[in-house]
Amino acid sequence: LTTCGPTVLVAYLDADSASAVAGLILRTYILGVVAASVYSFVEVLSASQGFDLGKAIFTRLSHYGPDFDLNAPFYYEWDVFFRAAGFTGVNSQATYTASAIPLLLLAPPFQRRPVNLAFAAICLAGTALTFSRNGFLTIVITFLAYILLRPSDAGRFLLRITIISLPLIALLYFFSSGASSMISTRIYHSIQDVGSGRREIYEATWPTVATHPFGHGLNQYSVVTLLTSEVDFSELEVMYYKWPEERVRRSYANLHNNWMTWLFEGGWPLLLAQLGYHGSLLIVCLRSRTKLGLAAFCSMSGLMLSGFFNMTLDLFSTQLLFVLLPVCALQNPAVRHFRPTPELAMLPTKTVEC
């Protein structure tokens, strides 16, 4: 599905008659992000009232393995806060909600600017409710990319960020004691151990790359770690000395790093191919010389760098966005509501068949 779906979509959007459809699909994607953020609010509110909304929904929709504990809560609790898990997990939810923020701030997809700012505020708060470092890394990289590319707009851009941050600032002030504890702890763990055991798992996996320059085979990381001793997890076993070895391997049968997973499974050829593919998307967006193209470049840059710390690039939502953004950016200015900036509009353009 994740391969055939975007391929069929590209073939469909390549037709001239589908120009307006691409913009409609992208706006639908953004509305989906807003809806996911609203779900986070409801999920956290339900958890604070003692009702496990995630369990009520997903025990009826999902199939779980024999080792899954259905008695454990589906939400995460942190001090006085409840973390929003979303539909696919904390980090997936965070990068999903973060991906639409630059589009709403830099290339308003909806006609009224207050609507775009309101949606961006909802998405920012939805990201914050996950307490995901990966989600905020995506946002920070997005903002830095825009300021570096358009330093003259930095003041106006920071004003927009301040506006959409006001509800979040008010919430953190209300929970000031718990918020300061949570933030300091998350920053400390980020610096000290790159997340729970992630530095150790990267170091344990790296030696096998040298012995398999063409990879171990697609989707084989979990197989190699669970059925062989080729990946040395001894440092992790020391960290979690109370766990049996089998549990350590089962818990870390995921590299939490898209780029390194591609290198492990497909070797240097697959990694270079992925670099070429993702790099070409960034170039296409920049060369479109549109406001949406710049916003797309910033959003995708944040998602690509967050892939160094989790498997966010394998999400269908991310792959769908990576297909939609270059197509919409190239349709200059065919996509309704998206308009080039005055500076970009003065540049010479040419018709692009996409």
Side-chain angles (χ1 to χ4, degrees), residues 27-352:
R27 284 190 291 276
T28 303
Y29 174 93
I30 294 172
L31 290 174
V33 173
V34 175
S37 299
V38 172
Y39 171 80
S40 293
F41 306 150
V42 177
E43 185 180 53
V44 168
L45 180 62
S46 300
S48 66
Q49 299 300 313
F51 180 69
D52 198 335
L53 179 63
K55 182 175 292 186
I57 295 174
F58 295 113
T59 51
R60 293 170 172 80
L61 298 178
S62 303
H63 172 73
Y64 298 99
D67 59 341
F68 195 88
D69 184 7
L70 288 174
N71 295 318
F74 274 35
Y75 55 81
Y76 294 82
E77 185 174 357
W78 191 293
D79 200 1
V80 296
F81 292 97
F82 290 92
R83 299 180 67 186
F87 287 98
T88 56
V90 173
N91 291 303
S92 300
Q93 173 82 355
T95 51
Y96 178 56
T97 52
S99 65
I101 296 175
L103 307 179
L104 290 162
L105 292 181
L106 306 179
F110 302 96
Q111 288 180 320
R112 297 182 180 276
R113 184 168 294 279
V115 172
N116 291 285
L117 291 176
F119 282 166
I122 292 173
C123 293
L124 180 62
T127 305
L129 286 174
T130 65
F131 298 130
S132 168
R133 292 163 292 187
N134 214 34
F136 275 97
L137 173 66
T138 302
I139 294 175
V140 169
I141 295 300
T142 294
F143 292 171
L144 290 177
Y146 181 76
I147 292 175
L148 289 174
L149 290 172
R150 297 291 295 274
S152 61
D153 284 350
R156 182 167 53 184
F157 182 53
L158 292 175
L159 176 61
R160 294 175 190 170
I161 296 173
T162 302
I163 292 173
I164 69 171
S165 300
L166 290 177
L168 180 59
I169 293 172
L171 181 65
L172 292 177
Y173 178 78
F174 185 75
F175 292 101
S176 57
S177 59
S180 60
S181 172
M182 180 272 295
I183 293 172
S184 62
T185 303
R186 297 295 278 171
I187 293 176
Y188 171 79
H189 282 301
S190 297
I191 296 174
Q192 293 297 315
D193 45 61
V194 197
S196 301
R198 292 188 187 177
R199 184 180 66 240
E200 288 77 14
I201 193 173
Y202 298 159
E203 292 174 349
T205 304
W206 181 253
T208 67
V209 172
T211 58
H212 295 77
F214 294 99
H216 295 72
L218 298 180
N219 299 317
Q220 292 300 299
Y221 183 78
S222 60
V223 175
V224 172
T225 54
L226 291 174
L227 301 182
T228 75
S229 58
E230 185 171 345
V231 179
D232 183 8
F233 279 165
S234 56
E235 290 192 24
L236 284 168
E237 291 167 8
V238 171
M239 290 178 59
Y240 301 100
Y241 60 91
K242 294 183 179 180
W243 292 6
E245 180 183 351
E246 180 184 356
R247 181 180 177 184
V248 173
R249 289 190 170 272
R250 189 171 65 251
S251 299
Y252 286 93
N254 183 323
L255 253 174
H256 297 285
N257 184 321
N258 262 121
W259 299 98
M260 196 168 180
T261 298
W262 289 329
L263 179 59
F264 179 91
E265 296 185 347
W268 293 102
L270 179 58
L271 178 63
L272 293 175
Q274 291 288 355
L275 286 170
Y277 167 69
H278 288 87
S280 67
L281 297 180
L282 296 178
I283 292 172
V284 166
C285 289
L286 278 183
R287 286 185 174 178
S288 70
R289 299 178 178 179
T290 61
K291 185 182 295 186
L292 176 59
L294 181 59
F297 177 90
C298 295
S299 179
M300 290 193 297
S301 295
L303 289 169
M304 289 177 193
L305 288 175
S306 71
F308 279 100
F309 303 99
N310 223 300
M311 306 297 288
T312 52
L313 298 180
D314 283 341
L315 297 173
F316 180 76
S317 59
T318 304
Q319 296 181 5
L320 174 64
L321 187 65
F322 281 14
V323 168
L324 281 174
L325 288 179
V327 171
C328 291
L330 282 173
Q331 293 166 347
N332 176 24
V335 180
R336 185 185 175 203
H337 301 332
F338 290 114
R339 294 289 184 266
T341 60
E343 297 89 345
L344 294 173
M346 295 175 62
L347 293 173
T349 59
K350 61 180 181 179
T351 302
V352 180

